[in-house]
Amino acid sequence: MGKRKQRTRKTVWSTLLLIAVSFCLMLTGCGGQQENVSDSGRGDRETVGDQGGSGEIVDSAESSRENTEGDYTLDTKVMDVINDPVFEGYGRLIFPVDRPIDQNLELRDVGDILVWYNNVNPDRTVEIVNYMKDRAASGEQIFYDIYTEEEKAADPEKENTGLFFFRGNPGARTAIVNAGGGFMYVAAMHDSFPQAMELAERGYNAFALIYRPGAETACEDLARAIAFIHENADELQLDVNGYSLWGGSAGARMAAWLGSYGTAAFGEDAYPAPGAVIMQYTGLSDVTGSEPPTYACVGTRDGIASYQSMESYIRQIQADGTPAEIEVFDGLGHGFGLGESTVAEGWIDRAVSFWESVL
């Protein structure tokens, strides 16, 4: 890496490190909030065909809710899903690998391990794992490594990374969704899998990233994921033009940082910036002037991400002449996910409309 690139990364991380430390300290203090429920210069990489599974592309325009024939129920133990041989060893990544999981924890109670999150829907959890099981059992590849075996051997923490693929229509636009978790764990079951499934049901190709905790490593993994989808766009039948980055809480910061600073700031070659960033409930305030079009949403009772801070962030982006919108939901707390059965229900439709409007 050249000296100029090193200086760029050092400048970025001197800024982001301070923000991330403050964010993690704030989350720690709010721990009681949970209510209820190709080669780009870094060595040869695995391509789509090298990663196991059929790699078959199927048309997912049909609603996934009509294709959930798996036998998981609310009473199924989480460990039985993790150890199901249909997932060929990546089942552990469906749930947070950095959170303790009791051997007897059932799917109905997954919300118990998703600290800082509210409105966790157990029926949605069951729907998602059955969707995954049905797709995997049919021979469809639903999980992709983003690092080579050599890279994972050199850094074992990279073993717990990858992309879950929720297929939409062949040739449709692409989204990468990043769950939050305070850079301490990845709350994908509530904060990225549901959003990715909803996007796939609308025909988009959606990926949910499983990344290493820590602000720097998380952004490096997202940069690699962006590189992966660009390098394998033809094999996966993706339209990566104007792709979008989505995220909630810490995941929203990842999406915003990659949108503002670009992949080169996090160790990858320079890939195109996203066409839009979709952010949920994060108190990000630093604006660089290079933000992509941005949609944000947050609740007024969020004790972790101030809605006033998010409003200020969006106003600054608008002042730079970039399209930006925010929805503020009265009485809603942190981590509401899809917002099902709340005042936020339907926000994802408006976020998709925003994304389409700026392309």
Side-chain angles (χ1 to χ4, degrees):
M1 185 183 297
K3 291 183 179 179
R4 183 176 181 181
K5 193 169 185 179
Q6 287 178 326
R7 285 197 298 270
T8 301
R9 294 196 70 195
K10 183 176 180 181
T11 300
V12 169
W13 283 115
S14 63
T15 302
L16 300 192
L17 181 59
L18 290 173
I19 298 170
V21 169
S22 298
F23 181 62
C24 292
L25 288 173
M26 179 174 60
L27 286 174
T28 301
C30 296
Q33 258 219 8
Q34 185 183 11
E35 299 167 8
N36 168 45
V37 210
S38 31
D39 184 2
S40 63
R42 295 186 63 183
D44 295 334
R45 299 186 187 168
E46 298 178 21
T47 60
V48 170
D50 295 328
Q51 300 193 41
S54 68
E56 179 185 3
I57 308 296
V58 299
D59 189 338
S60 297
E62 178 183 0
S63 170
S64 67
R65 292 192 177 119
E66 298 176 1
N67 188 32
T68 52
E69 300 174 354
D71 56 0
Y72 300 138
T73 69
L74 290 171
D75 299 323
T76 300
K77 290 181 173 58
V78 169
M79 285 299 176
D80 289 340
V81 178
I82 289 174
N83 295 321
D84 193 324
V86 74
F87 297 125
E88 300 179 343
Y90 58 81
R92 72 190 188 284
L93 300 179
I94 297 174
F95 300 93
V97 296
D98 297 288
R99 293 285 297 155
I101 299 177
D102 187 277
Q103 293 289 325
N104 294 314
L105 183 71
E106 297 176 347
L107 291 177
R108 69 172 72 251
D109 296 319
V110 165
D112 291 351
I113 61 174
L114 303 181
V115 294
W116 307 308
Y117 281 93
N118 299 308
N119 309 106
V120 178
N121 183 345
D123 291 326
R124 175 70 71 162
T125 299
V126 173
E127 178 186 11
I128 289 167
V129 292
N130 277 323
Y131 169 96
M132 289 179 168
K133 180 174 182 176
D134 292 343
R135 296 303 175 99
S138 72
E140 180 179 314
Q141 187 172 352
I142 67 168
F143 178 78
Y144 292 86
D145 283 310
I146 55 175
Y147 292 106
T148 66
E149 292 304 317
E150 293 75 15
E151 288 172 317
K152 289 186 287 185
D155 183 354
E157 290 186 358
K158 290 179 179 176
E159 289 282 354
N160 292 327
T161 65
L163 287 166
F164 283 94
F165 188 12
F166 293 75
R167 282 181 172 82
N169 296 328
R173 298 192 187 280
T174 304
I176 304 176
V177 190
N178 306 280
F183 294 120
M184 298 177 186
Y185 77 102
V186 182
M189 187 53 72
H190 178 64
D191 215 25
S192 62
F193 291 163
Q195 291 86 338
M197 177 179 283
E198 286 290 322
L199 289 168
E201 289 183 353
R202 289 160 174 76
Y204 300 99
N205 291 297
F207 294 86
L209 175 64
I210 308 300
Y211 56 85
R212 292 168 292 165
E216 180 172 1
T217 50
C219 288
E220 289 173 355
D221 294 342
L222 179 52
R224 173 58 65 96
I226 293 168
F228 175 86
I229 68 165
H230 280 83
E231 293 166 3
N232 294 288
D234 290 341
E235 293 91 332
L236 292 172
Q237 299 183 3
L238 308 174
D239 180 357
V240 294
N241 295 313
Y243 71 96
S244 57
L245 295 181
W246 298 58
S249 198
R253 289 171 179 257
M254 294 164 58
W257 287 335
L258 264 295
S260 296
Y261 295 106
T263 53
F266 301 100
E268 294 294 327
D269 284 352
Y271 287 90
V277 168
I278 311 297
M279 304 171 62
Q280 289 188 271
Y281 35 77
T282 194
L284 192 63
S285 59
D286 57 312
V287 173
T288 66
S290 58
E291 282 70 26
T294 302
Y295 165 94
C297 63
V298 64
T300 60
R301 292 188 61 190
D302 193 323
I304 294 174
S306 162
Y307 75 90
Q308 293 100 331
S309 293
M310 290 193 72
E311 287 177 325
S312 174
Y313 181 74
I314 294 299
R315 284 196 299 269
Q316 292 178 72
I317 296 175
Q318 292 170 335
D320 288 331
T322 301
E325 295 180 5
I326 186 168
E327 288 192 88
V328 178
F329 302 115
D330 188 43
L332 208 55
H334 191 74
F336 52 80
L338 288 177
E340 295 167 303
S341 301
T342 76
V343 295
E345 189 162 17
W347 72 264
I348 192 168
D349 296 314
R350 296 182 290 276
V352 168
S353 297
F354 174 84
W355 174 23
E356 289 287 357
S357 73
V358 298
L359 294 177

